Amino acid sequence: MKQINFIFTKNGFHIDETKEENTSKWAEEFKKDKYLALYELGFENNLKGLMPSAFYLYQLSLKFIELLSNRPELEVAREDTKVEASSEDLEYLMSIIPFAIGTEYIDEKWIQNVFEKLNNQFCLDMKSYKGTVQMYLQEKSQDLKIAKRIYFHLVENEEDADFPFAFLATYATKDKENRIVHMPLKHALVEYKNDQEQLLNLLSCLNVVAQKNTLIAQYMETGDLFHPIRLTSKEAYSLLKSVPDIEACGIKCRVPNWWKKKYSSVKINVNIGDTKPSMFGFDSILSLQPSLIVNGRALTKKEISELLKMEEGLAWLKGQ
């Protein structure tokens, strides 16, 4: 695989036939069925030393497998699964486009088209696979962390100043029309009342999370986890900090988008008075007007004062 080179085209990619090195097992697989080979490539671990074009395709497949294995409804949807790259995923994949022949054709639509081909390969496999999706993925790679069927939702609740957040646990299932839906966790008690094994399999991941988060352990002990819960800022902050640990246990978390942003824009502006002085001097220095800008919005003195009083946690700021 290390010496294989690819050429990108308007509708996909193909092996560079001019390279004599392209005679390996992987080269033969790509010549036989390039999208099947690309799909299987995503289950390989830590491939290094690849040609830039091959490394990019490897990253595409890795991202697809990551998104696939992180879908809580996967076990329920099976061959009906549809994996699509988010705007953040597309931005990342566009940012790592290498210097190679044909990369001018690569755009978001091109990437989504590759994902569609990979999704079709997974669906074909699922139609003939008799075991669970978890078994299928673990046969492909023992290192894959597969999402469970449970979601944790944390949303803002602007109507209640004392409890500005709300929490709800849901799980993926199918409705009477055979559509994938996310139901409150308490519904599982009704759906699986005659199938305790299924219920225990569904809820088993919660015990793992409870060992890492005292708040979730408390909700499980009281039974609150099966109902909507109002949260204080302190409780919400505790949950938000635990998101990586929770998701490592297989439970996906849907949280406010500002929490998952990699960075926030914070800067200080200094304006030299309201009128333009003839030259910079002592009067200009005395008229300096500093302001603190967060995500493009200037904070008032009262807001800055409130922030300075806080040691850590969450606070309402400009409607966020």
Side-chain angles (χ1 to χ4, degrees), residues 4-21:
I4 302 179
N5 197 45
F6 293 89
I7 295 176
F8 299 100
T9 65
K10 184 177 181 179
N11 297 315
F13 63 92
H14 60 78
I15 281 187
D16 185 356
E17 299 284 359
T18 65
K19 298 291 183 180
E20 295 182 0
E21 300 91 337

Side-chain angles (χ1 to χ4, degrees), residues 190-208:
V190 178
E191 181 176 351
Y192 299 120
K193 65 180 180 180
N194 298 320
D195 192 341
Q196 289 297 306
E197 184 177 354
Q198 278 270 46
L199 182 61
L200 290 174
N201 286 338
L202 174 67
L203 302 179
S204 60
C205 58
L206 295 174
N207 294 322
V208 181

Side-chain angles (χ1 to χ4, degrees), residues 150-154 166-171 183-189 202-211 213-231 239 246 251-253:
I150 293 178
Y151 268 112
F152 282 173
H153 304 257
L154 183 67
F167 173 84
L168 179 66
T170 65
Y171 74 107
M183 299 293 293
L185 198 56
K186 68 176 182 179
H187 187 267
L189 302 178
L202 174 67
L203 302 179
S204 60
C205 58
L206 295 174
N207 294 322
V208 181
V209 174
Q211 294 175 6
N213 187 285
T214 55
L215 203 56
I216 297 300
Q218 177 186 326
Y219 294 152
M220 288 182 63
E221 185 177 344
T222 60
D224 289 342
L225 194 64
F226 292 89
H227 307 278
I229 305 171
R230 296 184 305 166
L231 299 181
L239 277 176
I246 293 172
I251 295 178
K252 297 302 294 178
C253 297

Side-chain angles (χ1 to χ4, degrees), residues 144-177:
L144 272 181
K145 294 181 179 179
I146 303 163
K148 308 300 181 184
R149 289 170 57 190
I150 293 178
Y151 268 112
F152 282 173
H153 304 257
L154 183 67
V155 297
E156 295 171 81
N157 178 25
E158 298 183 23
E159 298 178 357
D160 193 334
D162 295 327
F163 298 93
F165 292 89
F167 173 84
L168 179 66
T170 65
Y171 74 107
T173 187
K174 286 188 175 182
D175 63 11
K176 294 180 179 178
E177 284 74 37

Side-chain angles (χ1 to χ4, degrees), residues 245-261:
D245 289 335
I246 293 172
E247 294 196 331
C249 297
I251 295 178
K252 297 302 294 178
C253 297
R254 287 181 171 173
V255 300
N257 60 358
W258 44 259
W259 180 260
K260 287 201 168 185
K261 287 181 180 179

